[in-house]
Amino acid sequence: MSASKKRITRRFIKDIFVILVAAGITGIVINLLHPRGFILVSRQALEARTIVAISSEEAKIKHAAGAVFIDAREKDEYDDARITQAINVPALDAADSKSGTDFAFLEKPAEIVIYCDGPSCGASAMLAEAIRKRGYKRTIYITEKGFPDWKSKGYPMERGEQDGK
C-alpha cells in the first residue's frame, strides 16, 4: 500500500472516530436536557434486579451475617416453627395498605431475606413487592425453596409463639 493510501485510510478512521464520539456526546446531552429523556434500562428491569432468589445455603450465610429474616407465611405457621429470629409479616396483610402492618424492620441497615413455604408459594414475592413499594432500595433476597428446605437441612429454627413481630 502506498504512503498516500495509508494517510487516507488513517484520516478516514480518525474522521469516523471523531464523528462517533461527537454523536455520542450530542446524544447524551440531548437526553439529559430533554424533559422525558430516553431510558437506557427500563424501570421494570431495574426493579426485577432488586428481588433475587437465593438458595438455603446462601440464606444461611446471610443469617449468620445478621440479615433480617422475614417469614411471609401466616401467623399460625410462624408460631408452629420458623427460622431463628425471623419476623412474621404475612404477605396478604402486607399487601393490604390498610392493614397497619409494621415495617419498622426497614429502618435497620441490614439485608432482608424473605421466605415462605417453598417454590410454589408466592407469598415471598408478594411481600418483597410490598416492601419495595414502601421505598426499600436495597436488594431483597427470597429463599428459592423456602422454609421446608431450611428445616430439612437442620438450620437454626425456633418453635412456639413469640410476642410482637
Side-chain angles (χ1 to χ4, degrees), residues 83-111:
I83 293 174
T84 304
Q85 299 178 345
I87 300 167
N88 183 225
V89 181
L92 292 175
D93 293 348
D96 179 11
S97 59
K98 298 175 186 173
S99 71
T101 302
D102 183 13
F103 285 92
F105 60 86
L106 294 177
E107 297 170 13
K108 295 180 182 180
E111 291 183 314

